[in-house]
Amino acid sequence: MKLNFGCGGNRLPGWQNYDMDVDISKPLPFASGSADYIFAEHVVEHLDCGEVMNFFTECYRVLRSNGTVRVCVPSISKVFMYADDEYLDWLGSSGFGESTRKSAIRNLMVNHGHKTVWSEELLGVALRGAGFSTTYAEVGKSEDPNLCNLEGHGKVIGEHQNWVESIVVEGIK
């Protein structure tokens, strides 16, 4: 079984796609060891810290041995490092802030209903805290072919903007 949480319009063929119909801040309605893969794209930043850890712990429970969770979130550190003119111009024209790096960081921290902020290090540590071994990946890429080209956030905000702000960490049970 492959579970996609927070899918919005990114409904993946061959996956069970859930958006607001499954509350990931609560225990997941799936049997222990029943899933091969879990994908969560641009959704855990909408949870507070305790809810994130509970979700990651639930992912660990639901995944079979050697199952993988793939988590993609916006990263304030990546935006700070890579926000270029194209990204900042997009930000200014999007209505979410001014075309400045300072505004870009503020946007990720206070807009869109975000309750947590992330960097690769923090995301990796949180997943390891739930019991996973971790590996870092690029958007659209994975050592596991089942986890390649899953992300859809770039279709919403543009691929360049998605590259600037998104990070991916995979957790293996």
Side-chain angles (χ1 to χ4, degrees):
M1 177 169 52
K2 300 176 185 178
L3 303 171
N4 178 13
F5 294 114
C7 68
N10 188 29
R11 304 186 74 72
L12 301 170
W15 290 70
Q16 292 183 28
N17 298 284
Y18 300 99
D19 197 54
M20 298 182 78
D21 46 340
V22 172
D23 183 352
I24 65 170
S25 71
K26 308 275 190 256
L28 297 175
F30 304 97
S32 298
S34 62
D36 298 301
Y37 297 100
I38 295 174
F39 178 52
E41 179 188 22
H42 284 266
V43 66
V44 298
E45 65 272 16
H46 297 278
L47 303 174
D48 67 33
C49 290
E51 292 168 333
V52 170
M53 286 309 300
N54 289 340
F55 173 63
F56 289 165
T57 300
E58 277 293 285
C59 289
Y60 192 87
R61 178 187 67 78
V62 168
L63 284 167
R64 64 165 174 76
S65 181
N66 294 313
T68 303
V69 61
R70 181 177 175 92
V71 181
C72 179
V73 294
S75 165
I76 60 170
S77 57
K78 191 170 180 199
V79 167
F80 186 79
M81 288 188 310
Y82 296 110
D84 57 10
D85 290 340
E86 181 180 344
Y87 181 84
L88 296 174
D89 289 346
W90 166 80
L91 178 67
S93 66
S94 70
F96 293 121
E98 299 172 6
S99 299
T100 65
R101 188 170 266 106
K102 177 181 170 183
S103 182
I105 298 303
R106 179 174 173 71
N107 175 54
L108 289 182
M109 294 184 77
V110 302
N111 291 333
H112 317 290
H114 293 175
K115 294 180 180 179
T116 50
V117 294
W118 296 97
S119 67
E120 279 186 334
E121 180 182 12
L122 288 172
L123 185 55
V125 166
L127 284 165
R128 287 189 295 279
F132 291 99
S133 61
T134 58
T135 185
Y136 299 96
E138 293 180 45
V139 170
K141 297 180 181 177
S142 176
E143 292 181 14
D144 185 330
N146 292 292
L147 297 174
C148 292
N149 301 311
L150 298 180
E151 288 81 17
H153 193 63
K155 295 172 190 164
V156 176
I157 68 168
E159 294 301 333
H160 179 73
Q161 287 79 293
N162 193 47
W163 175 83
V164 168
E165 68 181 37
S166 295
I167 55 170
V168 177
V169 178
E170 294 176 355
I172 298 96
K173 180 175 177 180

